[in-house]
């Protein structure tokens, strides 16, 4: 039996998703849609909190992310899939919650500080040393154009996403803990200020996620060009698997090797139920890298083939995609409207 409890999560549209995103988040979302009343969305407004001056591909990336979600197995019959900016109630509640959010909560948010540092690093790559970067960081209250009002308010918008749908659980990565804490604090603060508990206090839903390295052994990331994308052409995947980074000390097929740090072994841990045995075989020099890679590819192939078929059906049926988006928008907006009406009443904006 499916629980009535609401689960909600979002992802910023950054372009095509890869196996790191799949094993890190999407796979979990797909499992949750059978257990809870799930809302999953493309956080396009959140993209604007940093990349407000790079919107050329925003709508296209949102659509690509929708297709990725569907490719991974999200089913619009089982969950509500929508685009954040399609639901105007979100922006309205964001304004209202902004009124009751103490500035200190946002300025002290460690994620905010880290992100600013990251953005500054990108902006001044090669121009400033660590010390000058640190000085810049301490003066960000100034006119640095990377720290906009919207950027500071990132956690308020995220809290809005969660609270407006009355989510009980929010599947997120550990890096989102501070943001989620602000959502919980805001739910309580609203009740303190206005005397009525309108919102559900959300809890994070952490999952044990597999570490998915890129094919070169670094973290799988679009900017490293080391990804396998969701629905990638199967021949291209085969080439990538055969080119995966392995223990550089293993020169011959029967050399004993160290599976720690071997990308092929990291993938066996995800796709091979007998990965522990493979670990021993590798250490004993009982299997060569080429055979090991071939076996891995065979294990990955059925799922990846199914992905690329699914992707094609959605890519080739624009009408179906539009319908999914429209239905998601309607369901998300209807649920949001209920919360918003209660909020406005409690705040006495309406009688
Ligand atoms: N901040 C999240 C991330 O970067 C994306 C996000 C936006 C989100 N709104 C949310 C996640 C609400 C969960 C719930 O990954």
């Amino acid at each position: 039996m499916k629980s009535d409890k609401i689960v909600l999560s979002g992802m910023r549209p950054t372009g095509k998703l890869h196996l790191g995103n799949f094993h890190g988040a999407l796979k979990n979302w797909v499992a949750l849609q059978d257990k809870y009343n799930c809302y999953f969305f493309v956080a396009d407004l959140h993209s604007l909190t940093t990349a407000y001056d790079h919107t050329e591909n925003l709508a296209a990336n949102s659509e690509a992310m929708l297709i990725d979600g569907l490719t991974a197995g999200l089913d619009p019959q089982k969950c509500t899939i929508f685009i954040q900016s399609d639901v105007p109630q979100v922006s309205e509640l964001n304004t209202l919650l902004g009124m009751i959010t103490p500035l200190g909560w946002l300025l002290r948010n460690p994620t905010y500080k880290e992100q600013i540092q990251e953005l500054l690093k990108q902006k001044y790559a090669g121009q400033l040393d660590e010390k000058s970067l640190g000085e810049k960081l301490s003066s960000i209250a100034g006119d640095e154009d990377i720290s906009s009002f919207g950027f500071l308010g990132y956690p308020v918008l995220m809290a809005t996403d969660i609270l407006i749908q009355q989510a009980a659980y929010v599947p997120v990565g550990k890096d989102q803990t501070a943001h989620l804490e602000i959502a919980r604090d805001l739910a309580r603060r609203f009740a303190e200020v206005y005397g009525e508990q309108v919102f559900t206090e959300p809890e994070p839903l952490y999952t044990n996620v597999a570490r998915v390295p890129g094919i070169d052994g670094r973290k799988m990331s679009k900017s490293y060009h080391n990804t396998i994308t969701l629905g990638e052409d199967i021949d291209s995947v085969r080439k990538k698997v055969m080119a995966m980074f392995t223990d550089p000390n293993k020169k011959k097929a029967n050399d004993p090797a160290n599976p720690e740090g071997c990308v092929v072994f990291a993938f066996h841990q995800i796709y091979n139920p007998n990965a522990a045995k493979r670990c021993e075989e590798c250490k004993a020099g009982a299997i060569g890298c080429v055979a090991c890679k071939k076996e891995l590819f065979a294990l990955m192939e059925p799922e990846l083939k199914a992905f690329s078929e699914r992707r094609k059906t959605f890519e080739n049926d624009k009408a179906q995609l539009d319908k999914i988006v429209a239905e998601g928008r309607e369901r998300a907006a209807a649920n949001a409207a209920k919360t918003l009406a209660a909020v406005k009443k409690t705040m006495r904006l309406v009688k």
Side-chain angles (χ1 to χ4, degrees):
M1 251 277 283
K2 216 163 147 161
S3 155
D4 292 339
K5 291 230 165 116
I6 294 177
V7 162
L8 170 134
S9 198
M11 239 187 247
R12 278 174 290 176
T14 48
K16 269 197 185 167
L17 296 183
H18 50 67
L19 290 184
N21 305 116
F22 176 68
H23 293 289
L26 271 180
K27 195 172 159 181
N28 182 37
W29 291 12
V30 173
L32 286 167
Q33 67 181 348
D34 290 315
K35 299 187 189 124
Y36 296 99
N37 181 7
C38 291
Y39 288 76
F40 297 121
F41 68 98
V42 179
D44 58 346
L45 294 175
H46 274 101
S47 294
L48 291 175
T49 63
T50 50
Y52 60 82
D53 52 348
H54 290 289
T55 57
E56 330 58 80
N57 300 321
L58 190 50
N61 285 344
S62 292
E63 186 179 290
M65 171 157 289
L66 272 169
I67 294 179
D68 280 322
L70 296 165
T71 297
L74 291 182
D75 179 349
Q77 307 293 333
K78 295 182 178 172
C79 66
T80 300
I81 306 169
F82 66 102
I83 296 178
Q84 186 184 28
S85 67
D86 264 356
V87 179
Q89 289 85 354
V90 167
S91 295
E92 200 174 336
L93 182 61
N94 186 48
T95 300
L96 299 178
L97 288 182
M99 304 302 173
I100 69 161
T101 310
L103 212 44
W105 290 8
L106 303 177
L107 291 168
R108 279 196 304 270
N109 177 9
T111 316
Y112 171 69
K113 292 188 190 161
E114 277 161 30
Q115 280 205 357
I116 286 268
Q117 200 151 24
E118 201 40 50
L119 289 169
L120 278 170
K121 265 193 203 149
Q122 283 168 17
K123 183 166 171 186
Y124 294 104
Q127 295 173 42
L128 289 183
D129 55 32
E130 285 289 321
K131 184 163 166 283
S132 328
L133 267 179
E135 281 161 13
K136 273 244 177 257
L137 181 64
S138 49
S139 68
I140 47 170
D143 60 2
E144 198 61 61
D145 62 3
I146 57 167
S147 66
S148 70
F149 176 54
F151 181 62
L152 179 67
Y154 187 110
V156 182
L157 182 57
M158 181 160 158
T160 303
D161 295 326
I162 298 167
L163 299 179
I164 204 165
Q165 303 294 356
Q166 304 288 351
Y169 301 117
V170 183
V172 280
K174 282 261 156 58
D175 60 317
Q176 302 288 309
T177 302
H179 289 330
L180 208 74
E181 206 44 53
I182 291 182
R184 294 164 58 81
D185 290 346
L186 272 175
R188 278 199 296 273
R189 183 168 169 86
F190 187 89
E192 277 159 25
V193 175
Y194 300 108
E196 209 166 313
Q197 184 73 47
V198 171
F199 301 115
T200 308
E201 223 179 279
E203 279 172 43
L205 208 62
Y206 300 123
T207 36
N208 289 327
V209 294
R211 190 188 74 93
V212 186
I215 58 167
D216 60 357
R218 292 184 290 174
K219 180 180 176 225
M220 187 177 280
S221 161
K222 215 169 59 145
S223 49
Y224 292 154
H225 303 288
N226 64 359
T227 66
I228 295 175
T229 58
L230 220 63
E232 182 162 331
D233 172 72
I234 201 74
D235 289 321
S236 162
V237 178
R238 180 185 287 112
K239 285 195 195 105
K240 287 184 180 176
V241 170
M242 296 314 290
M244 277 178 177
F245 178 84
T246 55
D247 180 355
N249 292 322
K250 184 171 163 98
K251 301 274 189 309
K252 293 195 296 303
N254 56 357
D255 282 346
N258 179 10
E260 275 322 296
C262 169
V263 175
V264 183
F265 181 63
F267 274 78
H268 268 284
Q269 285 177 297
I270 300 171
Y271 290 94
N272 187 350
N274 299 316
K277 186 163 157 255
R278 175 49 40 88
C279 181
E280 296 314 312
E281 289 165 345
C282 174
K283 282 183 184 159
I287 183 161
C289 292
V290 173
C292 186
K293 286 172 171 175
K294 281 191 175 151
E295 198 186 313
L296 170 65
F297 178 73
L299 288 164
M300 296 171 73
E301 195 176 9
E303 183 173 72
L304 297 190
K305 260 196 177 149
F307 282 163
S308 76
E309 306 275 295
R310 265 177 83 80
R311 166 170 285 279
K312 273 191 216 114
T313 57
F314 293 111
E315 276 174 352
N316 295 335
D317 192 349
K318 189 80 181 61
Q320 190 195 2
L321 202 61
D322 288 347
K323 190 162 161 271
I324 291 171
V325 172
E327 283 173 6
R329 173 199 305 138
E330 209 169 293
R331 292 213 290 265
N335 195 42
K338 283 195 274 177
T339 305
L340 187 61
V343 166
K344 287 171 103 170
K345 193 147 193 312
T346 307
M347 290 177 88
R348 299 172 196 95
L349 280 163
V350 290
K351 278 204 226 142

